[in-house]
């Protein structure tokens, strides 16, 4: 046992969007360890291809781009993002879930 809490993937009916969840963390309403465990188990979607002719946002919210944006906005630290990525990679190696095909 590693002492890292297992957090089930979010349920769309009860969990805010990834962007909103990271906002809750930035506001101090979610503990760091819980945020990292939750985001690392988040059901990420493949990122959409960018279309230069389509200038309006598509509001796709469950991608790693949201995590990157939170880092740029100062909502996450570099260490937070590195730990999230480490856990995602470890989960991928052990056959865990965390990304949608």
């Amino acid at each position: 046992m590693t002492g890292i809490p297992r957090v089930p993937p979010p349920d769309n009916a009860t969990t805010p969007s990834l962007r909103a969840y990271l906002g809750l963390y930035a506001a101090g309403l979610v503990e760091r360890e819980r945020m990292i465990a939750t985001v690392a188990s988040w059901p990420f979607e493949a990122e959409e291809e960018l279309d230069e002719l389509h200038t309006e946002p598509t509001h796709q919210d469950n991608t790693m781009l949201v995590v990157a944006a939170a880092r740029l906005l100062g909502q996450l630290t570099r260490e937070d993002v590195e730990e999230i990525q480490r856990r995602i990679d470890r989960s991928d190696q052990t056959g865990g879930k965390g990304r949608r095909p």
Side-chain angles (χ1 to χ4, degrees):
M1 188 70 153
T2 63
I4 298 172
R6 285 285 191 197
V7 178
D11 175 359
N12 290 339
T14 60
T15 303
S17 69
L18 178 58
R19 192 178 321 272
Y21 186 79
L22 293 173
L24 293 173
Y25 169 69
L29 300 174
V30 177
E31 292 180 9
R32 180 179 188 267
E33 184 57 40
R34 178 132 182 112
M35 178 278 298
I36 289 173
T38 300
V39 174
S41 65
W42 202 274
F44 290 102
E45 298 172 351
E47 292 161 2
E48 295 178 354
E49 292 183 27
L50 298 177
D51 181 358
E52 292 180 16
L53 298 176
H54 186 82
T55 58
E56 296 298 316
T58 60
H59 302 289
Q60 189 178 9
D61 189 58
N62 294 319
T63 69
M64 286 301 290
L65 286 175
V66 173
V67 175
R71 170 67 186 111
L72 290 173
L73 293 171
Q75 294 177 321
L76 296 174
T77 65
R78 182 182 75 240
E79 292 80 12
D80 291 340
V81 175
E82 288 171 353
E83 181 62 17
I84 290 165
Q85 188 61 54
R86 187 182 69 75
R87 292 190 193 183
I88 289 171
D89 291 345
R90 186 176 63 207
S91 177
D92 287 348
Q93 291 172 358
T94 61
K97 296 179 181 178
R99 294 185 188 210
R100 291 182 185 168

